[in-house]
């Protein structure tokens, strides 16, 4: 692979859906000029409210949905061309949000995993069987479970099967579309640990889509914050948590539930609802909910570089103080503790 | 890494048992009646005491008795033997119609889901088919092809297509929203595999239950068309034809019309009961 290219590069990505009746058809801008890149072995967290276009971006990277504008390139090659030649399936895979609907209910685990193995690895017979067992082992499931059906598993176990199915294609990048938001916290910790392990062992890159900042903080190297289909801030993970600059990112961080004595300062609280993507306000999309908004915000703010790899789309960046959450908040102490516990247990088991 | 969990089944066993006990008697009876009727129909050549076409005018219109268990008709033919052969013919035509009609209907309905651009065309086509009563199709086909079992079967088949098409489309829309459809596309499966293995296979239970419910209606419709004289010509034994023959002598030999009608009644009733049970089972699994 040519190292001059990032593994995945997304430029000015746009997706509009037509809505309305025949005569009054108007476009909805689900994704509006999004650009980012993911390096090999890196995890980019993509955060935003529901309706911010994060899942649509994930679907477009897999070519499950066609973009209406912009370009997606994988190691320098256009994604549409990779899709036409069928190469895309061995480069990019996806883990879905709902483990209860993402597995074909009438196939056994063995059949679920054999499908991609046969398709892309050309494996048959004995080699296929051992590949299935190896995959199950990789995701922490016993090989005896291969003959069971998805409904015989718990949510966490199903998500492991989903991960194994994605791994079967031996991709370089995996789009994780809210892979833990349907699971409870202790299972979240196990799945995040598993994803981290797999990244180390296989050099995988992730696009990690989530609405939960605590989860994203634990796995991402960089985080991009999405608002109404636009990236409003993007920064290395720790930098975002120690110095968020965009009012929206600040509000998101301030909204993380906190435990303990110190009550949160009520500043940067979000007011109102996000505007409808059909009646998109001109200029900064966050304007109506922003306490810093002035007339200047009627023009679209450019994405400006304010530090190493730290980008913010706000006219008033200079006047807004960086917002930091203290070290524990957003790190979800319970999630962290569980992750440590599970990691220790696994180390103990493997030695 | 250590394997986690045991993958225990999470189905509520006790609820299942309770539900089974409740509908158990009706289900068992429906299954038993169906088994008897279908078994007798299949084994008619072996079991029938007489030749169903053997005329014996000296024994015409005998009431049920020891020589003829269900009596005889106007030409002295044994009614029990005729009903056995008649059930055979009725089941054969309605099953042929049901299978052919539902294959076409299901393919149309699922194609409407799988190729969204075809949805409007297929949807209207099904609506048009749905707006013609099946009796009308039977009459038209009977008029153009002449009476016989073929036009009746075709009419019944056409009557099955739009209903099954709509059910298949509705089921398909639900399945198409499931993430595993996307998952199949994401690993690069071909369109044929996605259509049959992912979409159609998962719609099968819904369609199958509907067909069980529909089977009774098709039998009834077929018997009706035969009763009207559009189907099998009179010497042939078919339940609708038998009922029609008995109509003329209903006042003084009610058994001739009653027993064929009773057979239709039992057949349709047990199919409907069975369909209801299957639907309940499916609903529970989907919940």
């Amino acid at each position: 692979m040519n190292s001059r290219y990032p593994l995945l590069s997304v430029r000015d990505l746009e997706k509009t859906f037509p809505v309305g009746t025949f005569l009054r058809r108007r476009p909805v801008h689900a994704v509006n000029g999004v650009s980012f890149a993911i390096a090999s072995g890196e995890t980019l967290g993509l955060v935003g409210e529901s309706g911010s276009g994060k899942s649509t971006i994930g679907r477009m990277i897999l070519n499950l949905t066609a973009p209406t504008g912009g370009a997606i390139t994988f190691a320098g090659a256009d994604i549409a061309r990779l899709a036409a030649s069928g190469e895309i399936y061995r480069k990019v895979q996806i883990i879905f949000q709902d483990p209860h609907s993402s597995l074909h209910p009438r196939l056994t685990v063995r059949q679920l995993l054999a499908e991609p193995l046969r398709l892309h690895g050309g494996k048959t017979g004995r080699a296929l069987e051992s590949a299935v067992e190896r995959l199950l082992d990789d995701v922490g499931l016993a090989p005896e479970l291969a003959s069971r059906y998805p409904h015989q598993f718990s949510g966490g176990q199903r998500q492991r099967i989903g991960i194994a199915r994605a791994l079967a294609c031996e991709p370089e990048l995996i789009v994780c579309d809210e892979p833990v938001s349907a699971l409870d916290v202790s299972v979240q910790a196990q799945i995040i640990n598993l994803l981290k392990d797999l990244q180390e062992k296989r050099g995988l890159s992730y696009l990690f889509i989530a609405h939960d900042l605590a989860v994203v903080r634990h796995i991402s190297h960089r985080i991009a914050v999405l608002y109404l289909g636009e990236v409003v801030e993007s920064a290395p993970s720790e930098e975002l948590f120690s110095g968020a600059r965009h009012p929206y990112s600040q509000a998101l961080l301030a909204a993380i539930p906190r435990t303990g004595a110190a009550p949160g300062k009520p500043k940067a609280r979000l007011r109102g609802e996000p505007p409808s993507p059909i009646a998109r306000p001109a200029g900064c999309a966050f304007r109506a909910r922003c306490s810093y908004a002035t007339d200047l915000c009627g023009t679209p703010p450019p994405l400006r570089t304010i530090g190493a790899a730290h980008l913010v789309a706000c006219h008033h960046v200079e006047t807004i103080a960086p917002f930091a959450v203290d070290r524990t908040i957003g790190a979800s102490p319970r999630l962290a503790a569980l992750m440590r516990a599970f990691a220790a247990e696994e180390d103990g088991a493997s030695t | 890494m250590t394997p986690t969990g045991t993958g225990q089944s999470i189905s509520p066993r006790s609820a299942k048992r309770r539900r089974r006990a409740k509908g158990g008697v009706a289900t068992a009876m429906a299954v038993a009646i169906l088994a008897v009727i279908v078994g007798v129909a299949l084994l008619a050549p072996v079991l029938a005491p007489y030749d169903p076409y053997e005329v014996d005018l000296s024994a015409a219109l005998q009431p049920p008795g020891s020589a003829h268990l269900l009596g005889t008709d106007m030409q002295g033919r044994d009614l029990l033997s005729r009903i056995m052969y008649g059930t055979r013919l009725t089941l054969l035509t309605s099953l042929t119609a049901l299978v052919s009609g539902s294959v076409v209907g299901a393919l149309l309905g699922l194609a409407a889901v799988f190729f969204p651009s075809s949805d409007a065309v297929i949807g209207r086509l099904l609506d048009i088919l749905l707006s013609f009563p099946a009796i009308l199709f039977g009459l038209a086909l009977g008029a153009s092809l002449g009476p016989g079992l073929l036009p009746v079967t075709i009419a019944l088949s056409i009557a099955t297509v739009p209903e099954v098409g709509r059910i298949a489309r509705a089921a398909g829309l639900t399945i198409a929203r499931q993430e595993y459809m996307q998952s199949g596309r994401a690993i690069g499966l071909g369109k044929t595999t996605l259509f049959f293995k992912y979409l159609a296979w998962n719609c099968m239970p819904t369609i199958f239950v509907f067909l069980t419910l529909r089977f009774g209606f098709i039998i009834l419709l077929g018997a009706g068309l035969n009763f009207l004289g559009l189907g099998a010509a009179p010497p042939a034994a078919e339940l609708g034809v038998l009922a029609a023959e008995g109509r003329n002598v209903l006042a003084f030999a009610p058994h001739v019309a009653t027993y064929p009608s009773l057979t239709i009644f039992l057949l349709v009733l047990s199919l409907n009961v069975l369909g209801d049970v299957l639907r309940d089972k499916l609903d529970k699994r989907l919940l």
Side-chain angles (χ1 to χ4, degrees), chain B residues 147-170:
Chain B
L149 284 176
L150 184 66
V152 168
T153 311
I154 294 176
L156 294 180
S157 180
I158 293 175
T160 312
V161 169
E163 297 273 359
V164 173
R166 281 184 353 158
I167 293 290
R169 183 176 168 276

Side-chain angles (χ1 to χ4, degrees), chain A residues 59 101 104 115 120 148 152, chain B residues 6-7 180 182 187 197-198:
Chain A
R59 299 274 192 282
S101 84
H104 189 307
E115 235 175 13
H120 301 299
R148 298 202 183 179
Q152 294 172 296
Chain B
T6 53
Y180 55 75
Q182 300 255 316
I187 64 163
K197 190 174 180 183
Y198 277 63

